[in-house]
Amino acid sequence: MNKIPDIGFGLWKVSPQDCRDVVIEAIKAGYRHFDCAADYGNEQQVGDGLKAAFDQGLVAREDLWITSKLWNSYHHPDHVEAACQKSMTDLGLDYLDLYLIHFPIALAYVPIETRYPAEWLVDPEAENPVMQRASVPLHETWAALEKLVDKGLVRQIGVCNYISGLVHDLMSYARIKPAMLQIEAHPYLTQEKLIRLATQYGIPVTAFSPLAALSYVELDMAGQADSVLTEAVVSQAAAAHGKTPAQIVLRWAIQRGTAIIPKSSNPQRMRENLALTDFALSESEMADISALNANRRFNDPGEFCEGAFGLFNPIYD
Ligand code: NAP
């Protein structure tokens, strides 16, 4: 596949037990892009699902777009290829379509054989476990990703969770330009300047957590009352178009030009989230939904790292 589909499937928090069947179901529903990551702890099970789909003749490898991400513990150039190979082995693939730097955060190395996925702590069994930074400049990590492209292991490379300053910096040294910027974006966090800058540089953008708070309720990082789906402008548009509020929010995202990767383990919602192309929002509906922006970020290391991993570690401020 030469181009990333507008609507892909997110795999964060899909449990390893469910993951194989979820992937098969998503392929049957019509998803062709799978957004994976070492950190999601389910790449082996994604691989099981892909293998079953290939064996059943549901889809061929070349008709899929598979993204994975380099975890923070493997930023040092000595560890990048092994981390990528581990994801590819788990996924049962001999190339990735897209490989992304997961966060602009380098953490102390944890060997794959010691603990995998490494997550945020060097030693979770320690008396006072803390997150430990590593001094690895991002340009060195990027150069190691470029070598993966040179070797044919990955077709395209990109970044997640970069702010404008980091995008300018990356563009100044990248021999292979980033093919994707993946960021949190939804009506409460519209990221207009960052998306405009990426567009200026010709970098496509993927919006993660496109349904905003919904993904964070199960983590106790948001409440049901934070849902964007109950906003009046969203429910009015849903009624006007005969669509669900989720479809309105997702349509808004693709209509403004971002790719999306919604996650659902529910077959009906999987299909719902793909059915976005038989209607369009009016200019005023688009503007009203964009006006919900509150610069509200749900996935913020500056918030969760200190409480969960013992280190104050903002990256957006
Ligand atoms: P999301 O896709 O916006 O929301 C998922 C949540 O919404 C789940 O609780 C899901 O529950 C529910 N849901 C899905 N469709 C729905 C619908 N039509 N109506 C009502 N509820 C619905 O959030 P996300 O998983 O955080 O983000 C999507 C993907 O982005 C992730 O899976 C991951 O691949 C990627 N991501 C990347 C980063 C990064 O740092 N690069 C960070 C976060 C996420 P059910 O499963 O029960 O349907």
Side-chain angles (χ1 to χ4, degrees):
M1 190 172 272
N2 292 327
K3 189 184 170 294
I4 193 167
D6 285 346
I7 310 168
F9 190 86
L11 282 146
W12 183 34
K13 297 194 256 87
V14 177
S15 72
Q17 302 87 279
D18 297 343
C19 197
R20 176 185 177 278
D21 292 346
V22 163
V23 167
I24 297 170
E25 194 63 42
I27 289 173
K28 285 185 179 161
Y31 288 91
R32 293 295 177 263
H33 171 205
F34 289 87
D35 183 75
C36 313
D39 187 53
Y40 300 164
N42 55 15
E43 286 193 321
Q44 273 185 27
Q45 293 77 13
V46 175
D48 293 343
L50 294 178
K51 182 170 183 322
F54 298 148
D55 290 349
Q56 291 170 32
L58 294 177
V59 73
R61 168 66 184 99
E62 56 272 22
D63 298 326
L64 292 179
W65 180 286
I66 308 294
T67 300
S68 185
K69 308 187 191 87
L70 176 78
W71 185 241
N72 306 343
S73 319
Y74 314 118
H75 272 213
H76 192 282
D78 289 350
H79 306 132
V80 168
E81 185 173 334
C84 179
Q85 286 283 7
K86 169 71 174 151
S87 283
M88 290 197 328
T89 303
D90 285 355
L91 292 164
L93 303 175
D94 55 11
Y95 72 93
L96 298 173
D97 297 272
L98 179 64
Y99 199 49
L100 303 171
I101 294 178
H102 204 146
F103 280 97
I105 299 173
L107 292 181
Y109 176 54
V110 177
I112 288 170
E113 44 294 351
T114 303
R115 199 176 66 257
Y116 193 86
E119 300 185 327
W120 295 82
L121 297 169
V122 184
D123 180 9
E125 308 300 328
E127 203 175 322
N128 293 308
V130 283
M131 199 177 120
Q132 244 179 64
R133 296 188 191 110
S135 297
V136 185
L138 286 164
H139 70 85
E140 291 186 5
T141 307
W142 186 256
L145 258 66
E146 291 175 327
K147 286 192 186 143
L148 301 178
V149 179
D150 296 339
K151 289 187 174 181
L153 299 179
V154 311
R155 300 245 160 118
Q156 300 195 341
I157 50 179
V159 295
C160 306
N161 299 306
Y162 271 37
I163 54 171
S164 299
L166 289 179
V167 173
H168 287 299
D169 189 51
L170 173 59
M171 291 305 289
S172 75
Y173 58 71
R175 172 171 61 85
I176 299 175
K177 300 297 178 207
M180 183 57 66
L181 171 66
Q182 188 182 117
I183 50 169
E184 180 177 341
H186 43 70
Y188 288 153
L189 181 69
T190 53
Q191 304 255 37
E192 269 141 37
K193 288 181 186 164
L194 182 53
I195 292 173
R196 189 173 161 198
L197 179 74
T199 307
Q200 193 185 70
Y201 277 128
I203 311 170
V205 175
T206 297
F208 77 67
S209 304
L211 294 167
L214 293 194
S215 175
Y216 298 90
V217 174
E218 65 188 276
L219 300 173
D220 286 331
M221 290 161 75
Q224 290 289 354
D226 298 314
S227 177
V228 71
L229 302 188
T230 52
E231 289 283 355
V233 290
V234 173
S235 34
Q236 279 156 15
H241 293 279
K243 295 285 172 185
T244 66
Q247 287 174 315
I248 297 300
V249 168
L250 297 175
R251 172 72 209 186
W252 167 85
I254 57 168
Q255 200 167 314
R256 73 201 286 254
T258 53
I260 50 169
I261 43 174
K263 171 264 172 188
S264 180
S265 299
N266 172 295
Q268 193 191 325
R269 288 195 284 276
M270 279 179 199
R271 286 174 169 73
E272 181 182 325
N273 296 347
L274 263 183
L276 307 176
T277 50
D278 60 348
F279 74 109
L281 298 170
S282 69
E283 262 181 47
S284 68
E285 286 168 331
M286 288 294 291
D288 287 348
I289 296 170
S290 298
L292 294 174
N293 183 40
N295 297 324
R296 171 117 197 243
R297 195 183 289 281
F298 293 97
N299 195 324
D300 186 347
E303 293 289 328
F304 66 76
C305 283
E306 188 168 21
F309 313 118
L311 184 71
F312 176 54
N313 200 60
I315 59 169
Y316 298 116
D317 307 273

